[in-house]
Amino acid sequence: MWALKWAALSLIGLGSGVFVAGAVVSFIAIIGVVPRLAQKTGTKKFIKLYEEAIILGGIIGGTDTYFDWYLPLGKTVVIFLSFCIGVFYGSLAEVLNILPILTRRVRLTQGMRWFICAVAVGKLVGSLLYYFVPGFYYM
């Protein structure tokens, strides 16, 4: 009986993961993030590589959720990877024009410089806490 429950739950979990992953990839494809990012950066010839990196990142991120594996990369590599992630999110925000939409919605007319600095410092502090305070993400 226990094996049947385990098999059913595994099948439901796998099906749910495939469904959510398909939805995320469809969402990315519909809003055209990859082509717009390639157009802005002048790297249209790497679109296939970008798409494969997104798929691989989804697979690695999904398996990381279920398996407790550890890669001893060292602080320097982690800082470099964090920098790359920050650059990606920053360019993604620029491509999608999030900042102009946000400023119109909240009617922010003055202090934009302080708003951008506050967001950047908040992301920096959050990243440093996550990576350098042991157990922070389990709190």
Side-chain angles (χ1 to χ4, degrees):
M1 189 66 171
W2 178 84
L4 186 60
K5 283 184 182 180
W6 186 85
L9 290 174
S10 297
L11 188 60
I12 290 169
L14 180 66
S16 300
V18 168
F19 179 76
V20 170
V24 169
V25 171
S26 296
F27 177 71
I28 290 172
I30 287 172
I31 61 175
V33 171
V34 175
R36 287 177 67 185
L37 189 59
Q39 181 183 16
K40 288 270 190 181
T41 58
T43 56
K44 290 182 182 180
K45 60 184 175 183
F46 296 115
I47 287 180
K48 287 282 189 194
L49 180 66
Y50 294 153
E51 291 170 348
E52 290 171 1
I54 290 170
I55 292 169
L56 185 63
I59 291 169
I60 291 172
T63 56
D64 182 49
T65 303
Y66 295 106
F67 300 109
D68 190 24
W69 48 282
Y70 174 74
L71 294 174
L73 299 175
K75 290 183 180 182
T76 306
V77 175
V78 170
I79 290 171
F80 174 72
L81 291 175
S82 300
F83 176 75
C84 291
I85 291 168
V87 168
F88 172 73
Y89 282 131
S91 63
L92 188 64
E94 178 64 31
V95 167
L96 296 177
N97 293 326
I98 291 173
L99 209 52
I101 293 169
L102 179 67
T103 55
R104 279 196 304 266
R105 296 268 170 118
V106 298
R107 293 180 175 86
L108 182 65
T109 57
Q110 294 178 343
M112 178 60 80
R113 174 180 6 180
W114 299 110
F115 176 74
I116 293 172
C117 287
V119 170
V121 169
K123 287 184 143 307
L124 173 70
V125 170
S127 296
L128 292 175
L129 286 174
Y130 181 83
Y131 287 111
F132 293 118
V133 176
F136 178 76
Y137 44 89
Y138 290 117
M139 290 182 188

